[in-house]
Amino acid sequence: MQKNHLRTYGNSRRYITNSERIWAQLDDPDFQKNVDLYVLQESTERERVSTQIKDTSDRIASQTRRPLRLSVSKKKDRSGVPPKEPVVLIQTSSRRESRENRDKKKKRDEFYSKKKTETHAYVKAEKENLVLAGSRPRIAHFDIPVVQRCKTVSQSTSKRHVKLDDLLRFLHQDAALPFKSYIEPFQKWIRKIGEATYSEVYEVHTRRRLVWKIVPFLKKEQLRCIDLYNELRSTKTLGDLDGFVKMRRGVIVQGPYPRVLLRNWDMYKNKYGTQNYRPDYFDKDQYFCILQLEHGGIDLEHFTIYSWQEAWIVFSKVIHALAIAERRFEFEHRDLHWGNILVRRKQASTQQVIDLLGRVSLSNALDKTNSASTAAEGDIQITIIDYTLSRLRCTDGRILYYDFDDPEIFTAEGDYQFDIYRFMRDSIKLDWASFHPKTNVMWIHYLAYQLVHKKNLPIPKKDDESRENTFFKYFIKVLNVIRPGSNNSSRYKLNSAVSVERWISDGCHLPKTAEKKLLR
Ligand SMILES: Nc1ncnc2c1ncn2[C@@H]1O[C@H](COP(=O)(O)OP(=O)(O)OP(=O)(O)O)[C@@H](O)[C@H]1O
């Protein structure tokens, strides 16, 4: 598999080759247990590994018949640091639908079209009962599924059709600006810093250090106006809160991809490699939206964390930000993987942070009056980004949400992130419009999992009574108690970021017996 034949596909960390095969990144130790690596060949560019699935787990049942190829890439990551562990890509499924999948889809479509008819009846009944569309749908006493009822009701207000004109009006523009001439004055200060599923990301360092996320939209297989509208409006709304990225402005431009950006794109590719196609294939009439955001730091996936205390500070700050947004805007992020949490150290040097963190204990990490703790917390800032899949209620009552109508989101395997999309779907049963803060708890669980298992922090020794150990135990408690589907989570009523934050700041209390069991 040639590296330059890969580009990102669907949700993050899935890739598609020219031969239309989808690959997912696989660094989940659970999954690796099922894989027997048996050939390892060195080549100049990268190591290639052939592998065969030994164990027939349900998740990969469809692939067990044929040997799989794994490619272990040694390429540097976006920040230029070679990954500590090789990145393993595993072929998951073909983009072209198999006959089996087509049949399943047909059945699903039939099921939903039947439900739609029922929904119609519901909406009529609701209107007769004078329940206004746009108010939070009441759901308790009807026996048709909540899913379809809520969706139809909310769509009549929050999912109204958004056209290019609406988008332009929202951004106070009469028409799209020519892409080339818009970029020209900034060309000396632009450099590419990252890439994503739908966009290329550049840093523009003039008087301020800004990030420009350049997103093509409107054409087939690109974002729709409604998706962009939701993202722009969510970013604007949440920007007032601490811990959420601030948007300077959004601009709609039109035209082919400017040469200066292509040059930058090439330089980035030569240095770090790329998983996207060179963006020189767009038509002359292509529209782009440039989201101009404040620079929030390095994404958590690539940010180096030095200690369990530091991990804890990042963790509690994310929970705090979510809790505030839940209260203010009934916010659910719904896509809070570690590429969407930016972290930055402010002022203090790394050594200062380590020294400082050495003085922070578990209890005072949450005690805002403790000076060491407060200083360390002040040095680490988190910024949550990317609200394409998010849900929130704006101050005018309008609900912004994504209806997860791309079934691909739920099919990826190999990383805990992908399980979370399925947990969300199963828990809220396609009722994407309504407020289900439980999804935030799921992402909090994912975050705890990533920090414990993926950041390469040393697991403290059992008999070591250091603070490291205490923080680690604390993480394990959180992991066990808020695990999606666990009884504990409902027993302690941990069904929102607000409740998780409260539970943690009350000391994460559990009955003694439960505690012993969890920490064993
Ligand atoms: N404000 C910002 N400051 C610093 N880096 C940023 C900022 N916004 C985006 N990035 C970088 O660009 C990457 C992609 O951005 P973002 O997640 O918003 O794009 P996306 O297309 O929605 O991504 P995906 O759908 O793949 O998660 C981030 O992981 C981050 O590394």
Side-chain angles (χ1 to χ4, degrees):
M1 188 175 57
Q2 293 289 310
K3 202 166 61 184
N4 57 358
H5 285 172
L6 274 183
R7 65 196 161 88
T8 51
Y9 171 69
N11 227 288
S12 54
R13 300 220 297 292
R14 274 188 291 153
Y15 311 98
I16 184 160
T17 61
N18 280 354
S19 58
E20 303 268 88
R21 292 282 169 195
I22 295 172
W23 296 69
Q25 188 166 313
L26 177 81
D27 49 6
D28 183 344
D30 285 344
F31 192 89
Q32 282 172 15
K33 273 186 221 143
N34 298 325
V35 175
D36 180 31
L37 304 180
Y38 69 91
V39 181
L40 185 68
Q41 253 178 277
E42 278 281 340
S43 89
T44 45
E45 257 203 330
R46 62 178 186 277
E47 289 169 358
R48 297 212 66 176
V49 179
S50 298
T51 188
Q52 203 170 20
I53 302 299
K54 256 168 94 187
D55 190 13
T56 326
S57 94
D58 280 345
R59 286 187 296 156
I60 48 171
S62 61
Q63 299 153 2
T64 50
R65 264 170 277 118
R66 62 175 188 276
L68 293 179
R69 287 183 312 148
L70 290 181
S71 163
V72 183
S73 158
K74 286 179 144 182
K75 129 178 124 67
K76 289 175 183 175
D77 64 31
R78 289 173 196 157
S79 57
V81 185
K84 289 197 183 108
E85 285 175 14
V87 175
V88 181
L89 301 176
I90 186 161
Q91 183 177 326
T92 55
S93 59
S94 166
R95 188 189 215 175
R96 293 194 189 104
E97 282 177 304
S98 65
R99 169 177 283 195
E100 200 186 337
N101 276 348
R102 270 206 308 271
D103 289 350
K104 266 194 212 152
K105 193 165 173 258
K106 202 171 152 206
K107 274 198 191 133
R108 201 173 50 221
D109 289 347
E110 277 167 13
F111 173 81
Y112 285 128
S113 75
K114 187 164 161 256
K115 289 296 166 206
K116 239 179 197 157
T117 323
E118 291 169 355
T119 310
H120 221 72
Y122 165 80
V123 176
K124 215 170 141 208
E126 283 286 63
K127 277 186 182 155
E128 278 162 12
N129 283 328
L130 291 181
V131 176
L132 294 179
S135 64
R136 194 109 64 79
R138 291 178 309 163
I139 50 181
H141 54 281
F142 286 87
D143 51 19
I144 52 172
V146 171
V147 186
Q148 292 297 319
R149 280 188 260 134
C150 297
K151 218 165 166 193
T152 311
V153 171
S154 60
Q155 261 171 358
S156 62
T157 53
S158 64
K159 275 270 168 179
R160 92 186 141 82
H161 201 56
V162 172
K163 294 196 286 271
L164 178 63
D165 281 350
D166 301 317
L167 213 51
L168 288 165
R169 204 169 314 118
F170 180 72
L171 295 174
H172 310 291
Q173 282 181 246
D174 298 327
L177 305 173
F179 200 177
K180 185 168 170 242
S181 44
Y182 186 78
I183 293 288
E184 246 161 27
F186 301 97
Q187 53 182 309
K188 275 195 195 148
W189 293 280
I190 291 186
R191 79 183 170 102
K192 176 171 162 172
I193 57 163
E195 55 191 27
T197 320
Y198 300 111
S199 57
E200 299 287 341
V201 183
Y202 298 83
E203 182 185 282
V204 180
H205 204 158
T206 50
R207 262 181 311 159
R208 296 186 76 91
R209 194 172 167 216
L210 293 185
V211 165
W212 285 14
K213 185 171 154 182
I214 303 186
V215 196
F217 70 101
L218 211 57
K219 296 208 171 176
K220 215 172 155 196
E221 308 234 323
Q222 294 177 354
L223 287 191
R224 301 164 296 182
C225 287
I226 179 74
D227 302 323
L228 263 176
Y229 176 83
N230 284 356
E231 177 154 15
L232 287 161
R233 190 150 179 211
S234 307
T235 313
K236 225 172 181 178
T237 308
L238 293 163
D240 290 340
L241 303 183
D242 273 354
F244 290 86
V245 73
K246 315 231 166 327
M247 186 168 79
R248 288 273 134 195
R249 69 176 292 207
V251 185
I252 305 287
V253 294
Q254 190 181 25
Y257 218 74
R259 275 229 286 278
V260 53
L261 294 185
L262 289 174
R263 268 203 304 276
N264 255 282
W265 194 94
D266 292 336
M267 281 191 301
Y268 180 91
K269 185 191 158 198
N270 293 338
K271 209 162 170 192
Y272 306 118
T274 181
Q275 282 146 3
N276 285 356
Y277 278 131
R278 192 172 193 264
D280 54 4
Y281 54 86
F282 292 110
D283 297 329
K284 284 186 183 135
D285 63 349
Q286 175 67 52
Y287 286 100
F288 296 87
C289 179
I290 307 182
L291 277 89
Q292 304 185 4
L293 308 163
E294 293 213 333
H295 201 296
I298 299 173
D299 56 278
L300 183 58
E301 182 176 1
H302 300 118
F303 183 84
T304 309
I305 289 195
Y306 291 105
S307 68
W308 288 102
Q309 289 100 319
E310 217 180 11
W312 187 259
I313 288 171
V314 169
F315 183 64
S316 41
K317 284 199 167 191
V318 171
I319 298 176
H320 184 64
L322 286 176
I324 302 267
E326 257 180 21
R327 281 203 196 93
R328 284 277 297 275
F329 302 112
E330 296 183 351
F331 173 72
E332 295 168 61
H333 191 288
R334 296 184 177 174
D335 193 22
L336 199 53
H337 58 78
W338 59 356
N340 286 338
I341 298 169
L342 306 178
V343 191
R344 134 172 101 185
R345 288 200 176 79
K346 234 182 112 190
Q347 295 148 5
S349 69
T350 309
Q351 193 49 48
Q352 280 169 313
V353 170
I354 294 169
D355 293 346
L356 205 50
L357 286 168
R359 287 184 268 136
V360 183
S361 73
L362 167 64
S363 49
N364 64 30
L366 294 161
D367 174 6
K368 303 282 184 290
T369 56
N370 180 285
S371 61
S373 153
T374 316
E377 288 194 24
D379 285 329
I380 293 181
Q381 289 192 334
I382 62 103
T383 303
I384 294 175
I385 56 167
D386 189 5
Y387 316 121
T388 322
L389 307 187
S390 300
R391 185 267 180 210
L392 63 98
R393 180 188 283 269
C394 302
T395 40
D396 64 0
R398 181 169 174 158
I399 294 168
L400 308 177
Y401 71 100
Y402 179 78
D403 50 15
F404 284 76
D405 48 2
D406 175 7
E408 294 276 343
I409 291 179
F410 305 110
T411 56
E413 293 284 355
D415 193 296
Y416 188 38
Q417 173 196 344
F418 303 131
D419 292 329
I420 302 289
Y421 302 116
R422 287 185 282 274
F423 291 148
M424 289 199 300
R425 177 197 59 190
D426 298 346
S427 160
I428 70 183
K429 311 223 166 23
L430 302 186
D431 177 16
W432 300 108
S434 298
F435 182 41
H436 301 278
K438 186 104 205 235
T439 63
N440 286 334
V441 182
M442 292 171 185
W443 286 105
I444 292 171
H445 189 264
Y446 157 89
L447 178 56
Y449 180 90
Q450 296 299 96
L451 289 167
V452 168
H453 296 290
K454 302 295 169 86
K455 289 309 282 182
N456 294 323
L457 285 166
I459 306 291
K461 290 198 188 89
K462 237 183 171 179
D463 52 357
D464 179 3
E465 277 311 315
S466 71
R467 290 184 189 103
E468 295 284 337
N469 204 342
T470 323
F471 274 93
F472 179 68
K473 282 182 178 173
Y474 217 48
F475 264 117
I476 298 302
K477 257 193 207 181
V478 172
L479 270 177
N480 282 296
V481 174
I482 66 171
R483 192 177 56 233
S486 93
N487 288 339
N488 286 325
S489 153
S490 29
R491 189 171 332 140
Y492 297 104
K493 297 201 169 52
L494 298 175
N495 47 16
S496 61
V498 171
S499 56
V500 173
E501 189 186 37
R502 199 177 308 126
W503 176 68
I504 289 176
S505 60
D506 284 350
C508 244
H509 286 306
L510 297 173
K512 274 274 169 290
T513 44
E515 184 151 337
K516 264 194 188 153
K517 223 165 115 191
L518 285 178
L519 298 180
R520 226 181 358 230

